[in-house]
Coordinates of all heavy atoms in Angstrom, one line a residue:
M1 N 193.2 192.3 -11.2 CA 193.3 191.9 -9.8 C 194.6 191.0 -9.6 O 194.8 190.1 -10.4 CB 192.1 191.1 -9.4 CG 192.2 190.5 -8.0 SD 190.7 189.6 -7.6 CE 190.9 189.6 -5.8
T2 N 195.4 191.3 -8.6 CA 196.6 190.5 -8.4 C 196.2 189.4 -7.5 O 195.5 189.6 -6.4 CB 197.6 191.4 -7.7 OG1 198.0 192.5 -8.5 CG2 198.9 190.6 -7.4
V3 N 196.6 188.2 -7.8 CA 196.3 187.0 -7.0 C 197.5 186.6 -6.3 O 198.6 186.5 -6.9 CB 195.8 185.9 -8.0 CG1 195.6 184.6 -7.2 CG2 194.6 186.2 -8.7
S4 N 197.4 186.4 -5.0 CA 198.5 185.9 -4.2 C 198.6 184.4 -4.3 O 197.5 183.7 -4.4 CB 198.2 186.3 -2.7 OG 199.1 185.6 -1.9
F5 N 199.8 183.9 -4.2 CA 199.9 182.4 -4.3 C 199.3 181.8 -3.0 O 199.1 180.5 -3.0 CB 201.4 182.0 -4.4 CG 201.8 182.0 -5.9 CD1 201.4 182.9 -6.8 CD2 202.8 181.1 -6.3 CE1 201.8 182.9 -8.1 CE2 203.2 181.0 -7.6 CZ 202.7 181.9 -8.5
D6 N 199.0 182.6 -2.0 CA 198.3 182.0 -0.8 C 196.8 182.0 -0.9 O 196.1 181.4 -0.1 CB 198.7 182.9 0.4 CG 200.2 182.8 0.7 OD1 200.8 181.7 0.5 OD2 200.8 183.8 1.1
D7 N 196.3 182.7 -1.9 CA 194.8 182.8 -2.1 C 194.2 181.4 -2.5 O 194.7 180.8 -3.4 CB 194.4 183.8 -3.1 CG 194.6 185.2 -2.7 OD1 194.7 185.5 -1.5 OD2 194.7 186.1 -3.6
P8 N 193.2 180.9 -1.8 CA 192.5 179.7 -2.2 C 191.6 180.1 -3.4 O 190.8 181.0 -3.3 CB 191.7 179.3 -1.0 CG 191.5 180.6 -0.2 CD 192.7 181.5 -0.5
L9 N 191.8 179.4 -4.5 CA 191.0 179.7 -5.7 C 190.1 178.6 -6.1 O 190.3 177.5 -5.8 CB 192.0 180.0 -6.9 CG 193.0 181.1 -6.7 CD1 194.0 181.1 -7.8 CD2 192.3 182.4 -6.5
R10 N 189.0 179.0 -6.8 CA 188.1 178.0 -7.3 C 187.5 178.4 -8.6 O 187.5 179.6 -8.9 CB 187.0 177.7 -6.3 CG 186.0 178.8 -6.0 CD 184.9 178.4 -5.1 NE 184.0 179.5 -4.8 CZ 183.0 179.9 -5.6 NH1 182.7 179.2 -6.7 NH2 182.2 180.9 -5.3
I11 N 187.1 177.5 -9.4 CA 186.5 177.8 -10.7 C 185.1 178.3 -10.4 O 184.3 177.7 -9.6 CB 186.5 176.5 -11.6 CG1 187.9 176.1 -11.9 CG2 185.7 176.7 -12.8 CD1 188.0 174.7 -12.6
S12 N 184.7 179.3 -11.1 CA 183.4 179.9 -11.0 C 182.3 179.0 -11.4 O 182.5 178.2 -12.3 CB 183.3 181.2 -11.8 OG 182.0 181.7 -11.8
E13 N 181.2 179.0 -10.7 CA 180.0 178.2 -11.0 C 179.4 178.7 -12.3 O 178.5 178.0 -12.9 CB 179.0 178.2 -9.9 CG 179.6 177.5 -8.6 CD 178.6 177.5 -7.5 OE1 177.5 178.1 -7.6 OE2 179.0 177.1 -6.4
Q14 N 179.7 179.8 -12.8 CA 179.2 180.4 -14.0 C 180.0 180.1 -15.2 O 179.8 180.7 -16.3 CB 179.1 182.0 -13.8 CG 178.1 182.4 -12.8 CD 176.7 182.0 -13.1 OE1 176.2 182.2 -14.3 NE2 176.0 181.3 -12.2
V15 N 180.9 179.1 -15.1 CA 181.7 178.8 -16.3 C 181.5 177.3 -16.6 O 181.6 176.4 -15.8 CB 183.2 179.0 -15.9 CG1 184.1 178.5 -17.0 CG2 183.5 180.4 -15.6
L16 N 181.3 177.1 -17.9 CA 181.3 175.7 -18.5 C 182.6 175.6 -19.2 O 183.1 176.5 -19.9 CB 180.1 175.6 -19.5 CG 178.7 175.7 -18.9 CD1 177.7 175.6 -20.0 CD2 178.4 174.7 -17.8
Y17 N 183.1 174.4 -19.2 CA 184.4 174.2 -19.9 C 184.5 172.8 -20.4 O 183.9 171.8 -19.9 CB 185.6 174.5 -19.0 CG 185.5 173.8 -17.7 CD1 186.2 172.6 -17.5 CD2 184.9 174.3 -16.6 CE1 186.2 171.9 -16.3 CE2 184.8 173.7 -15.4 CZ 185.5 172.5 -15.2 OH 185.5 171.8 -14.0
Q18 N 185.3 172.6 -21.5 CA 185.5 171.4 -22.2 C 186.8 171.3 -22.8 O 187.3 172.3 -23.4 CB 184.4 171.2 -23.3 CG 184.5 169.9 -24.0 CD 184.1 168.7 -23.2 OE1 183.1 168.7 -22.5 NE2 184.9 167.6 -23.2
E19 N 187.6 170.2 -22.6 CA 188.9 170.1 -23.2 C 188.7 169.5 -24.6 O 187.9 168.6 -24.8 CB 189.7 169.1 -22.4 CG 191.2 169.1 -22.9 CD 192.1 168.3 -22.1 OE1 191.8 168.2 -20.9 OE2 193.1 167.8 -22.6
V20 N 189.3 170.2 -25.6 CA 189.2 169.8 -27.0 C 190.6 169.8 -27.6 O 191.3 170.8 -27.7 CB 188.3 170.8 -27.8 CG1 188.2 170.4 -29.2 CG2 187.0 170.9 -27.1
H21 N 191.1 168.6 -27.9 CA 192.4 168.5 -28.6 C 193.5 169.2 -27.8 O 194.4 169.9 -28.3 CB 192.4 169.0 -30.0 CG 191.4 168.4 -30.9 ND1 191.5 167.1 -31.3 CD2 190.3 168.9 -31.4 CE1 190.4 166.8 -32.0 NE2 189.7 167.9 -32.1
G22 N 193.6 168.9 -26.5 CA 194.6 169.5 -25.6 C 194.5 170.9 -25.2 O 195.3 171.4 -24.5
E23 N 193.4 171.6 -25.7 CA 193.1 172.9 -25.2 C 191.8 172.9 -24.5 O 191.0 172.0 -24.7 CB 193.1 173.9 -26.4 CG 194.4 174.1 -27.1 CD 194.4 175.2 -28.1 OE1 193.4 175.7 -28.4 OE2 195.5 175.5 -28.6
T24 N 191.6 173.9 -23.7 CA 190.3 174.0 -23.0 C 189.5 175.2 -23.5 O 190.1 176.3 -23.6 CB 190.5 174.1 -21.5 OG1 191.1 172.9 -21.0 CG2 189.2 174.2 -20.7
V25 N 188.3 175.0 -23.8 CA 187.4 176.1 -24.2 C 186.5 176.4 -23.0 O 185.9 175.5 -22.4 CB 186.5 175.6 -25.4 CG1 185.5 176.7 -25.8 CG2 187.4 175.3 -26.6
L26 N 186.4 177.6 -22.7 CA 185.6 178.1 -21.5 C 184.5 179.0 -22.0 O 184.7 179.8 -22.9 CB 186.5 178.9 -20.6 CG 187.9 178.3 -20.2 CD1 188.7 179.4 -19.5 CD2 187.7 177.1 -19.3
L27 N 183.3 178.8 -21.4 CA 182.2 179.6 -21.7 C 181.8 180.3 -20.4 O 181.4 179.6 -19.4 CB 181.0 178.8 -22.3 CG 179.7 179.6 -22.4 CD1 179.8 180.8 -23.3 CD2 178.6 178.7 -22.9
D28 N 181.9 181.6 -20.3 CA 181.4 182.4 -19.2 C 179.9 182.7 -19.4 O 179.6 183.5 -20.2 CB 182.2 183.7 -19.1 CG 181.7 184.6 -18.1 OD1 181.0 184.2 -17.2 OD2 182.1 185.8 -18.1
L29 N 179.1 182.0 -18.6 CA 177.7 182.1 -18.7 C 177.2 183.5 -18.4 O 176.3 184.1 -19.0 CB 176.9 181.1 -17.9 CG 177.2 179.6 -18.3 CD1 176.6 178.7 -17.3 CD2 176.7 179.4 -19.7
A30 N 177.8 184.1 -17.4 CA 177.4 185.5 -16.9 C 177.7 186.5 -18.0 O 176.9 187.4 -18.3 CB 178.1 185.8 -15.6
G31 N 178.9 186.5 -18.6 CA 179.3 187.5 -19.6 C 179.1 187.0 -21.0 O 179.3 187.8 -21.9
E32 N 178.6 185.8 -21.2 CA 178.3 185.3 -22.5 C 179.5 185.4 -23.4 O 179.4 185.8 -24.6 CB 177.1 185.9 -23.1 CG 175.8 185.7 -22.3 CD 174.6 186.3 -22.9 OE1 174.7 187.1 -23.8 OE2 173.5 186.0 -22.4
R33 N 180.7 185.0 -22.9 CA 181.9 185.1 -23.7 C 182.7 183.8 -23.7 O 182.6 183.1 -22.7 CB 182.9 186.2 -23.2 CG 182.2 187.6 -23.3 CD 183.2 188.7 -23.0 NE 184.2 188.6 -24.1 CZ 185.3 189.4 -24.1 NH1 185.4 190.3 -23.2 NH2 186.2 189.3 -25.0
Y34 N 183.4 183.5 -24.8 CA 184.2 182.3 -24.9 C 185.7 182.6 -24.6 O 186.1 183.7 -25.0 CB 184.1 181.6 -26.3 CG 182.8 180.9 -26.5 CD1 181.7 181.4 -27.1 CD2 182.7 179.5 -26.1 CE1 180.6 180.7 -27.3 CE2 181.6 178.8 -26.3 CZ 180.5 179.4 -26.9 OH 179.4 178.7 -27.1
Y35 N 186.4 181.7 -24.0 CA 187.8 181.9 -23.9 C 188.5 180.5 -24.2 O 187.8 179.5 -24.2 CB 188.2 182.2 -22.4 CG 187.5 183.5 -21.9 CD1 186.3 183.5 -21.3 CD2 188.2 184.7 -22.1 CE1 185.7 184.7 -20.9 CE2 187.6 185.9 -21.6 CZ 186.4 185.9 -21.1 OH 185.8 187.1 -20.6
S36 N 189.7 180.5 -24.5 CA 190.4 179.3 -24.7 C 191.8 179.3 -23.9 O 192.4 180.4 -23.7 CB 190.7 179.0 -26.2 OG 191.5 180.0 -26.7
L37 N 192.2 178.1 -23.5 CA 193.5 178.0 -22.8 C 194.4 177.0 -23.6 O 193.9 176.0 -24.1 CB 193.3 177.4 -21.4 CG 192.4 178.2 -20.5 CD1 192.2 177.4 -19.2 CD2 193.1 179.5 -20.1
N38 N 195.6 177.3 -23.7 CA 196.6 176.4 -24.4 C 196.8 175.2 -23.5 O 196.2 175.0 -22.5 CB 197.9 177.2 -24.8 CG 198.6 177.6 -23.6 OD1 198.4 177.2 -22.5 ND2 199.6 178.5 -23.9
D39 N 197.8 174.4 -23.9 CA 198.0 173.1 -23.2 C 198.5 173.4 -21.7 O 198.0 172.7 -20.8 CB 199.0 172.2 -23.9 CG 200.4 172.8 -24.1 OD1 200.5 174.1 -24.3 OD2 201.4 172.1 -24.2
V40 N 199.3 174.4 -21.5 CA 199.8 174.7 -20.2 C 198.6 175.3 -19.4 O 198.4 174.9 -18.2 CB 201.0 175.6 -20.1 CG1 201.4 175.9 -18.7 CG2 202.2 174.9 -20.9
G41 N 197.9 176.2 -20.0 CA 196.7 176.8 -19.3 C 195.7 175.7 -19.0 O 195.1 175.7 -17.9
T42 N 195.5 174.7 -19.9 CA 194.6 173.6 -19.6 C 195.1 172.8 -18.4 O 194.3 172.4 -17.6 CB 194.5 172.7 -20.9 OG1 193.9 173.5 -21.9 CG2 193.8 171.4 -20.6
R43 N 196.4 172.6 -18.3 CA 196.9 171.8 -17.1 C 196.6 172.6 -15.9 O 196.2 172.0 -14.9 CB 198.4 171.5 -17.3 CG 199.0 170.7 -16.2 CD 198.4 169.3 -16.2 NE 199.0 168.6 -15.2 CZ 198.4 167.8 -14.3 NH1 197.1 167.6 -14.3 NH2 199.1 167.1 -13.4
V44 N 196.9 173.9 -15.9 CA 196.6 174.7 -14.7 C 195.1 174.7 -14.3 O 194.8 174.5 -13.2 CB 197.1 176.2 -14.9 CG1 196.6 177.1 -13.8 CG2 198.6 176.3 -15.1
W45 N 194.3 174.8 -15.3 CA 192.8 174.7 -15.1 C 192.4 173.4 -14.5 O 191.6 173.3 -13.5 CB 192.1 174.9 -16.4 CG 190.6 175.0 -16.3 CD1 189.7 174.0 -16.5 CD2 189.9 176.2 -16.0 NE1 188.4 174.5 -16.2 CE2 188.5 175.9 -16.0 CE3 190.2 177.5 -15.7 CZ2 187.5 176.8 -15.7 CZ3 189.2 178.5 -15.5 CH2 187.9 178.1 -15.5
S46 N 193.0 172.3 -15.0 CA 192.6 171.0 -14.4 C 193.1 170.9 -13.0 O 192.4 170.3 -12.1 CB 193.2 169.8 -15.3 OG 194.6 169.7 -15.1
L47 N 194.3 171.4 -12.7 CA 194.8 171.4 -11.3 C 193.9 172.3 -10.4 O 193.7 171.9 -9.2 CB 196.2 171.8 -11.2 CG 197.2 170.8 -12.0 CD1 198.6 171.4 -12.1 CD2 197.3 169.5 -11.3
L48 N 193.5 173.4 -10.9 CA 192.5 174.2 -10.1 C 191.3 173.5 -9.8 O 190.7 173.5 -8.7 CB 192.2 175.5 -10.9 CG 193.2 176.7 -10.9 CD1 192.8 177.7 -11.9 CD2 193.3 177.3 -9.5
G49 N 190.8 172.7 -10.8 CA 189.6 171.9 -10.6 C 189.7 170.8 -9.6 O 188.7 170.4 -9.0
R50 N 190.9 170.4 -9.4 CA 191.2 169.3 -8.4 C 191.4 169.9 -7.0 O 191.6 169.2 -6.0 CB 192.5 168.6 -8.8 CG 192.2 167.7 -10.0 CD 193.5 166.9 -10.4 NE 194.3 166.4 -9.3 CZ 195.6 166.1 -9.4 NH1 196.2 166.3 -10.6 NH2 196.3 165.7 -8.4
G51 N 191.3 171.3 -6.9 CA 191.4 171.9 -5.6 C 192.8 172.2 -5.1 O 193.0 172.5 -3.9
L52 N 193.8 172.1 -6.0 CA 195.2 172.3 -5.6 C 195.4 173.8 -5.3 O 194.8 174.6 -6.0 CB 196.2 171.8 -6.6 CG 196.7 170.4 -6.6 CD1 195.5 169.4 -6.7 CD2 197.7 170.1 -7.5
S53 N 196.3 174.1 -4.4 CA 196.7 175.4 -4.1 C 197.6 175.9 -5.2 O 198.1 175.2 -6.0 CB 197.5 175.5 -2.8 OG 198.8 174.9 -2.9
V54 N 197.8 177.2 -5.3 CA 198.6 177.8 -6.3 C 200.0 177.3 -6.2 O 200.7 177.0 -7.1 CB 198.5 179.4 -6.3 CG1 199.5 180.0 -7.4 CG2 197.1 179.8 -6.5
T55 N 200.5 177.2 -4.9 CA 201.8 176.7 -4.7 C 202.0 175.3 -5.2 O 203.0 174.9 -5.8 CB 202.2 176.8 -3.2 OG1 202.1 178.1 -2.8 CG2 203.6 176.3 -2.9
E56 N 201.0 174.4 -5.0 CA 201.0 173.1 -5.5 C 201.0 173.0 -7.0 O 201.6 172.2 -7.6 CB 199.8 172.3 -4.9 CG 199.9 172.0 -3.4 CD 198.6 171.5 -2.8 OE1 197.5 171.9 -3.2 OE2 198.8 170.6 -1.9
I57 N 200.2 173.9 -7.6 CA 200.1 174.0 -9.1 C 201.5 174.4 -9.6 O 201.9 173.8 -10.6 CB 199.0 175.0 -9.5 CG1 197.6 174.4 -9.2 CG2 199.1 175.3 -11.0 CD1 196.5 175.4 -9.3
H58 N 202.1 175.4 -9.0 CA 203.4 175.8 -9.4 C 204.4 174.6 -9.4 O 205.1 174.4 -10.4 CB 203.9 176.9 -8.5 CG 205.1 177.6 -8.9 ND1 206.4 177.2 -8.6 CD2 205.3 178.7 -9.6 CE1 207.3 178.0 -9.1 NE2 206.7 178.9 -9.7
A59 N 204.4 173.8 -8.3 CA 205.3 172.7 -8.2 C 205.0 171.6 -9.3 O 205.9 171.1 -9.9 CB 205.2 172.1 -6.8
C60 N 203.7 171.4 -9.6 CA 203.3 170.4 -10.6 C 203.8 170.9 -12.0 O 204.4 170.1 -12.7 CB 201.8 170.2 -10.6 SG 201.2 169.2 -9.3
I61 N 203.6 172.1 -12.3 CA 204.0 172.6 -13.6 C 205.5 172.6 -13.8 O 206.0 172.2 -14.8 CB 203.4 174.0 -13.9 CG1 201.9 174.0 -13.8 CG2 203.9 174.6 -15.2 CD1 201.2 173.2 -14.9
L62 N 206.2 172.9 -12.7 CA 207.7 172.9 -12.7 C 208.2 171.5 -13.0 O 209.1 171.3 -13.7 CB 208.3 173.3 -11.4 CG 208.5 174.8 -11.2 CD1 209.1 175.1 -9.9 CD2 209.5 175.4 -12.3
A63 N 207.5 170.5 -12.4 CA 207.9 169.1 -12.6 C 207.6 168.6 -14.0 O 208.2 167.7 -14.5 CB 207.2 168.2 -11.5
E64 N 206.5 169.1 -14.6 CA 206.0 168.6 -15.9 C 206.6 169.3 -17.1 O 206.5 168.8 -18.2 CB 204.5 168.6 -15.9 CG 203.9 167.7 -14.9 CD 202.4 167.9 -14.7 OE1 201.8 168.6 -15.6 OE2 201.8 167.4 -13.8
Y65 N 207.0 170.6 -17.0 CA 207.4 171.4 -18.1 C 208.8 171.9 -17.9 O 209.2 172.2 -16.8 CB 206.5 172.5 -18.4 CG 205.1 172.1 -18.8 CD1 204.1 171.8 -17.8 CD2 204.7 172.0 -20.1 CE1 202.8 171.4 -18.2 CE2 203.5 171.6 -20.5 CZ 202.5 171.3 -19.6 OH 201.2 170.9 -19.9
A66 N 209.5 172.1 -19.0 CA 210.9 172.7 -18.9 C 210.7 174.2 -18.9 O 210.6 174.9 -19.9 CB 211.7 172.3 -20.1
V67 N 210.7 174.8 -17.7 CA 210.5 176.2 -17.5 C 211.3 176.6 -16.3 O 211.4 175.9 -15.3 CB 209.0 176.5 -17.3 CG1 208.4 175.9 -16.2 CG2 208.8 178.0 -17.3
E68 N 211.8 177.8 -16.3 CA 212.5 178.4 -15.2 C 211.5 178.8 -14.1 O 210.4 179.3 -14.4 CB 213.3 179.6 -15.6 CG 214.5 179.3 -16.5 CD 215.5 178.4 -15.9 OE1 215.8 178.6 -14.7 OE2 216.0 177.5 -16.6
P69 N 211.8 178.5 -12.8 CA 210.9 178.9 -11.8 C 210.4 180.3 -11.8 O 209.2 180.6 -11.6 CB 211.6 178.6 -10.5 CG 212.7 177.6 -10.9 CD 213.0 177.9 -12.3
E70 N 211.3 181.3 -12.1 CA 210.9 182.7 -12.0 C 210.0 183.0 -13.2 O 209.0 183.8 -13.0 CB 212.2 183.6 -12.2 CG 213.2 183.4 -11.1 CD 214.1 182.2 -11.4 OE1 214.3 181.8 -12.5 OE2 214.6 181.6 -10.4
V71 N 210.2 182.4 -14.3 CA 209.3 182.6 -15.5 C 207.9 182.0 -15.2 O 206.9 182.7 -15.5 CB 209.9 182.0 -16.8 CG1 208.9 182.0 -17.9 CG2 211.2 182.7 -17.1
L72 N 207.9 180.8 -14.6 CA 206.6 180.2 -14.3 C 205.9 181.0 -13.3 O 204.7 181.2 -13.4 CB 206.8 178.8 -13.8 CG 205.6 178.1 -13.3 CD1 204.5 178.0 -14.4 CD2 205.9 176.7 -12.8
T73 N 206.6 181.5 -12.3 CA 205.9 182.4 -11.2 C 205.3 183.6 -11.9 O 204.1 183.9 -11.6 CB 206.9 182.8 -10.2 OG1 207.5 181.7 -9.5 CG2 206.3 183.7 -9.2
R74 N 206.0 184.2 -12.8 CA 205.4 185.4 -13.4 C 204.2 185.0 -14.3 O 203.2 185.7 -14.3 CB 206.5 186.1 -14.3 CG 206.0 187.4 -14.9 CD 207.0 187.9 -16.0 NE 207.1 186.9 -17.1 CZ 208.3 186.5 -17.5 NH1 209.4 186.8 -17.0 NH2 208.3 185.6 -18.5
D75 N 204.4 184.0 -15.1 CA 203.4 183.6 -16.1 C 202.1 183.1 -15.4 O 201.0 183.3 -15.8 CB 203.9 182.6 -17.1 CG 204.9 183.1 -18.1 OD1 205.1 184.4 -18.1 OD2 205.6 182.4 -18.8
L76 N 202.3 182.3 -14.3 CA 201.2 181.8 -13.6 C 200.4 182.9 -12.9 O 199.2 182.9 -12.9 CB 201.7 180.7 -12.5 CG 200.6 180.0 -11.7 CD1 199.7 179.2 -12.6 CD2 201.3 179.0 -10.8
A77 N 201.2 183.8 -12.3 CA 200.5 185.0 -11.7 C 199.7 185.8 -12.7 O 198.6 186.2 -12.4 CB 201.5 185.9 -11.0
T78 N 200.2 185.9 -13.9 CA 199.5 186.7 -15.0 C 198.2 185.9 -15.4 O 197.2 186.5 -15.5 CB 200.4 186.9 -16.2 OG1 201.5 187.7 -15.8 CG2 199.7 187.6 -17.3
L79 N 198.4 184.6 -15.6 CA 197.2 183.8 -16.0 C 196.1 183.8 -14.9 O 195.0 184.0 -15.2 CB 197.6 182.3 -16.2 CG 196.5 181.3 -16.5 CD1 195.7 181.7 -17.7 CD2 197.0 179.9 -16.6
L80 N 196.5 183.6 -13.7 CA 195.5 183.6 -12.6 C 194.9 185.0 -12.4 O 193.7 185.1 -12.1 CB 196.2 183.1 -11.3 CG 196.6 181.7 -11.3 CD1 197.4 181.3 -10.0 CD2 195.5 180.7 -11.6
S81 N 195.6 186.0 -12.6 CA 195.1 187.4 -12.5 C 194.1 187.6 -13.6 O 193.0 188.1 -13.4 CB 196.2 188.4 -12.6 OG 195.7 189.7 -12.6
D82 N 194.4 187.2 -14.8 CA 193.5 187.3 -16.0 C 192.2 186.5 -15.7 O 191.1 187.0 -16.0 CB 194.2 186.8 -17.3 CG 195.3 187.8 -17.7 OD1 195.4 188.9 -17.2 OD2 196.0 187.4 -18.7
L83 N 192.4 185.3 -15.2 CA 191.2 184.4 -15.0 C 190.3 185.0 -13.9 O 189.1 184.9 -14.0 CB 191.6 183.0 -14.6 CG 192.3 182.2 -15.7 CD1 192.8 180.9 -15.1 CD2 191.3 181.9 -16.8
T84 N 190.9 185.6 -12.9 CA 190.2 186.3 -11.8 C 189.5 187.5 -12.3 O 188.3 187.7 -12.0 CB 191.1 186.6 -10.6 OG1 191.7 185.4 -10.2 CG2 190.3 187.2 -9.5
T85 N 190.2 188.3 -13.1 CA 189.6 189.6 -13.6 C 188.4 189.3 -14.5 O 187.4 190.1 -14.4 CB 190.7 190.4 -14.4 OG1 191.8 190.7 -13.5 CG2 190.1 191.6 -15.0
T86 N 188.4 188.3 -15.3 CA 187.3 187.9 -16.1 C 186.2 187.2 -15.4 O 185.2 186.9 -16.0 CB 187.8 187.1 -17.4 OG1 188.5 185.9 -16.9 CG2 188.7 187.9 -18.3
G87 N 186.4 186.8 -14.1 CA 185.4 186.1 -13.4 C 185.4 184.6 -13.6 O 184.5 183.9 -13.1
L88 N 186.4 184.1 -14.3 CA 186.4 182.6 -14.6 C 186.8 181.8 -13.3 O 186.4 180.7 -13.2 CB 187.3 182.3 -15.7 CG 186.9 183.0 -17.0 CD1 188.0 182.8 -18.1 CD2 185.6 182.5 -17.5
I89 N 187.6 182.4 -12.5 CA 187.9 181.8 -11.2 C 187.7 182.9 -10.1 O 187.7 184.1 -10.4 CB 189.4 181.3 -11.1 CG1 190.4 182.4 -11.3 CG2 189.6 180.1 -12.1 CD1 191.8 181.9 -11.0
T90 N 187.5 182.5 -8.9 CA 187.3 183.4 -7.8 C 188.1 183.0 -6.6 O 188.6 181.8 -6.5 CB 185.8 183.5 -7.4 OG1 185.4 182.1 -6.9 CG2 184.9 183.9 -8.5
V91 N 188.4 183.9 -5.7 CA 189.1 183.6 -4.5 C 188.0 183.0 -3.6 O 186.9 183.5 -3.4 CB 189.7 184.9 -3.8 CG1 190.3 184.5 -2.5 CG2 190.7 185.5 -4.8
A92 N 188.3 181.8 -3.1 CA 187.3 181.0 -2.3 C 187.2 181.6 -0.9 O 188.2 182.1 -0.4 CB 187.8 179.6 -2.2
V93 N 186.0 181.7 -0.4 CA 185.8 182.2 1.0 C 185.9 181.0 1.9 O 185.2 180.0 1.7 CB 184.4 182.8 1.1 CG1 184.1 183.3 2.5 CG2 184.3 184.0 0.1
P94 N 186.8 181.1 2.9 CA 186.9 180.0 3.9 C 185.6 179.7 4.5 O 184.8 180.6 4.8 CB 187.9 180.5 4.9 CG 188.7 181.6 4.2 CD 187.7 182.2 3.2
A95 N 185.3 178.5 4.8 CA 184.0 178.0 5.4 C 183.6 178.8 6.6 O 182.5 179.2 6.8 CB 184.0 176.5 5.7
E96 N 184.6 179.1 7.5 CA 184.2 179.9 8.7 C 183.8 181.3 8.4 O 183.1 181.9 9.2 CB 185.4 179.8 9.7 CG 186.7 180.5 9.3 CD 187.6 179.6 8.5 OE1 187.2 178.4 8.2 OE2 188.7 180.0 8.2
N97 N 184.2 181.9 7.3 CA 183.8 183.2 6.9 C 182.5 183.2 6.0 O 182.0 184.3 5.7 CB 184.9 183.9 6.2 CG 186.1 184.2 7.1 OD1 186.0 184.1 8.3 ND2 187.2 184.4 6.5
A98 N 182.1 182.1 5.5 CA 181.0 182.0 4.6 C 179.7 182.5 5.1 O 178.8 183.1 4.4 CB 180.8 180.6 4.0
A99 N 179.5 182.4 6.4 CA 178.2 182.7 7.1 C 178.1 184.2 7.4 O 177.1 184.8 7.7 CB 178.0 181.9 8.3
D100 N 179.3 184.9 7.3 CA 179.3 186.4 7.7 C 178.6 187.2 6.7 O 178.4 187.0 5.5 CB 180.8 186.9 7.7 CG 181.5 186.3 8.9 OD1 180.8 185.8 9.9 OD2 182.7 186.3 9.0

């Protein structure tokens, strides 16, 4: 699944996670699978947990790491697509559409 930088994303309620030595270990309760994120993935995960938009996450990572904007755009899109495909994050439904 391709994730747009405009999509509001949230961490799935079916995921438990814990940071361990700078990496994040994820447990997908629905699929009963473990995943791990490196230090940059961990930072992205923490920013998702704070409710930041993908555009805001992109800006934070650019400010914190030595990376070219185009490379970050590509890598962030790949990470978010992978997290969405595995069900670890979902596209949030706006409150006005939640009752539909």
Side-chain angles (χ1 to χ4, degrees):
M1 173 180 200
T2 303
V3 176
S4 165
F5 274 35
D6 296 325
D7 288 338
L9 302 173
R10 67 177 178 83
I11 295 172
S12 170
E13 294 176 2
Q14 294 296 312
V15 176
L16 298 177
Y17 53 94
Q18 180 70 44
E19 187 174 333
V20 180
H21 303 293
E23 295 188 353
T24 298
V25 177
L26 311 169
L27 171 59
D28 174 16
L29 297 173
E32 299 179 348
R33 295 192 64 183
Y34 283 97
Y35 300 89
S36 65
L37 298 172
N38 65 15
D39 61 330
V40 178
T42 292
R43 183 65 176 136
V44 170
W45 187 264
S46 72
L47 295 170
L48 280 168
R50 290 180 35 204
L52 271 63
S53 71
V54 178
T55 301
E56 292 168 322
I57 292 170
H58 189 274
C60 285
I61 299 298
L62 273 179
E64 296 172 10
Y65 294 88
V67 60
E68 293 296 321
E70 304 79 28
V71 172
L72 176 58
T73 298
R74 183 191 67 231
D75 291 350
L76 185 57
T78 299
L79 174 62
L80 296 174
S81 178
D82 290 347
L83 292 172
T84 302
T85 299
T86 57
L88 299 171
I89 63 173
T90 60
V91 176
V93 176
E96 63 271 8
N97 294 339
D100 292 342

